[in-house]
Amino acid sequence: MSALPATVPVAVVGAGQSGLAVGYYLRQAGVPCVLLDAGSAVGETWQRRWESLRLFTSARFSALPGLPFPGPGARYPGKDEVAAYLREYARRFGLAVLPGHRVLALRRDGEGYLLTTAHGDCRAGQVVIATGAFGTPRIPEFAAALAPDVRSLHTGDYQGPAQVPPGRVVIVGDGNSGRQIAVELAGTHRVVLSCGDTVSPALPQTVVGRDMFWWMSVLGVMSMPVSMRAPDPVVGDRVPALVADGRIRTVGRITAARGAELLVADGERLRPSAVIWATGYRTDWSWLDPAMLDETGQPRHTEGVGALPGSYYLGLYRMRTRGSALLGFVGRDAERIAAAAVTAARGTPAISPAAKGEPA
């Protein structure tokens, strides 16, 4: 598809793994949909990640519905392979993706929805918001007090060791991303890894010759509801071995920045040449209809089914399970959301021109 349609039964906002998965199921059911994506091409967000990034799920557990991830199932794909896989997925199933169509506003419009993009408007009977769990980089406010000659970047901007000036680098955040980057930089820099107050459980990548996610799937862990407070596990962690070798040093939580120094919770002061913020992301929902949000500004939904009729969410962090935002597991939620949209599409008349301008 090359042009924004005036109307469509279902509009999917986002053409990442979540949007592609729900698009697949909608197409299989014969319900026309368009996928509106802010990026210039499918897979662009993956290609922007750091060069050495590898999935912590094996290829066998990194596939979307209907298309196995190419290559041996036991290997751990790199970020460019994921981008290529997503592009092939969209091509293979003929999904109507419109890159460069960031949705600037989404409003209830009569019996459906009005989506405003830089290329015009589109009206849809139903909408699936599949913008994913990675939105705007989240950096502590105190980072602004860091001296300008200390290199400071978020994991979303990190590409590799060449970006980081020689000397001591402090990585703030000890989740999977922070630990992967710490391991990479330990070969070229003096690395200090700042760990949070909550200890993440460590999981080996394989157990008795089987991928950890095989065990978690067989035991039903990936399909169980999970508390938002439960920490994410760190998979295949190599940091402890490098700490034992003296190549990585761990400290507690960073609480403040003062000029060229970072302050640790226990009172220690660090003078780094660079800081990498592995502090995650936040999502901006200001472009959604206020009626779709709760008093805290978060989407109103129950396991992905929105509070307003015909609205759905997909790929949110722990929306239903640990796998809700993961490449190889989002398909489960996508199938359920697509089934709800298909049922509604077949039971509801198409939007009539007369209804297009009616208030909600």
Side-chain angles (χ1 to χ4, degrees):
M1 179 176 289
S2 59
L4 184 69
T7 61
V8 67
V10 181
V12 180
V13 184
Q17 58 212 37
S18 304
L20 294 175
V22 76
Y24 165 84
Y25 282 117
L26 290 170
R27 184 168 176 80
Q28 294 293 105
V31 174
C33 69
V34 61
L35 283 68
L36 305 175
D37 197 71
S40 61
V42 172
E44 181 189 55
T45 55
W46 281 96
Q47 287 192 301
R48 289 204 307 261
R49 305 302 296 275
W50 69 89
E51 288 301 321
S52 67
L53 173 65
R54 305 199 80 78
L55 298 181
F56 56 76
T57 52
S58 65
R60 182 175 292 112
F61 295 98
S62 301
L64 293 177
L67 184 66
F69 203 99
R75 69 192 183 88
Y76 295 90
K79 55 101 176 180
D80 289 341
E81 293 177 89
V82 176
Y85 170 78
L86 295 180
R87 288 194 297 270
E88 173 59 18
Y89 192 89
R91 188 202 66 78
R92 177 76 61 91
F93 297 112
L95 301 181
V97 178
L98 284 178
H101 281 66
R102 180 185 296 277
V103 176
L104 305 174
L106 170 60
R107 297 289 182 267
R108 185 75 169 151
D109 182 56
E111 295 299 314
Y113 294 86
L114 175 66
L115 298 95
T116 300
T117 79
H119 300 277
D121 294 344
C122 174
R123 287 182 168 82
Q126 301 183 84
V127 290
V128 181
I129 295 93
T131 49
F134 303 104
T136 304
R138 185 175 59 222
I139 297 176
E141 290 185 9
F142 64 73
L146 199 62
D149 58 343
V150 178
R151 182 83 161 97
S152 177
L153 66 160
H154 188 270
T155 53
D157 299 313
Y158 173 78
Q159 292 295 306
Q163 274 182 300
V164 182
R168 174 189 288 163
V169 55
V170 176
I171 298 171
V172 182
D174 63 332
N176 282 288
S177 294
R179 286 177 174 255
Q180 277 196 30
I181 292 172
V183 169
E184 176 173 67
L185 289 176
T188 54
H189 292 73
R190 289 181 289 134
V191 175
V192 177
L193 178 64
S194 167
C195 303
D197 297 329
T198 303
V199 178
S200 298
L203 298 177
Q205 216 138 32
T206 59
V207 175
V208 196
R210 293 277 194 178
D211 184 275
M212 175 53 67
F213 284 87
W214 182 89
W215 290 103
M216 293 173 75
S217 297
V218 167
L219 297 174
V221 174
M222 297 305 294
S223 57
M224 290 179 182
V226 61
S227 166
M228 290 294 286
R229 296 181 180 178
D232 284 327
V234 175
V235 183
D237 187 16
R238 294 174 53 199
V239 166
L242 294 175
V243 169
D245 288 345
R247 296 169 62 188
I248 293 177
R249 184 164 76 89
T250 59
V251 298
R253 180 170 52 88
I254 302 296
T255 59
R258 292 180 185 169
E261 293 185 328
L262 292 174
L263 278 60
V264 187
D266 64 4
E268 182 179 1
R269 293 171 178 263
L270 301 171
R271 293 182 67 88
S273 62
V275 181
I276 296 176
W277 305 98
T279 43
Y281 294 81
R282 60 179 174 81
T283 305
D284 175 16
W285 298 112
S286 61
W287 54 281
L288 289 183
D289 192 315
M292 302 174 77
L293 305 175
D294 64 19
E295 61 279 1
T296 68
Q298 296 300 304
R300 292 195 294 138
H301 71 95
T302 301
E303 296 188 339
V305 178
L308 295 189
S311 67
Y312 310 92
Y313 300 86
L314 197 58
L316 300 182
Y317 176 66
R318 295 188 177 183
M319 189 178 82
R320 296 181 67 235
T321 69
R322 287 189 185 275
S324 287
L326 295 182
L327 175 61
F329 297 90
V330 70
R332 299 173 180 179
D333 287 350
E335 183 175 21
R336 187 177 56 86
I337 292 300
V342 168
T343 298
R346 290 174 175 169
T348 304
I351 305 172
S352 65
K356 290 179 182 178
E358 294 175 5

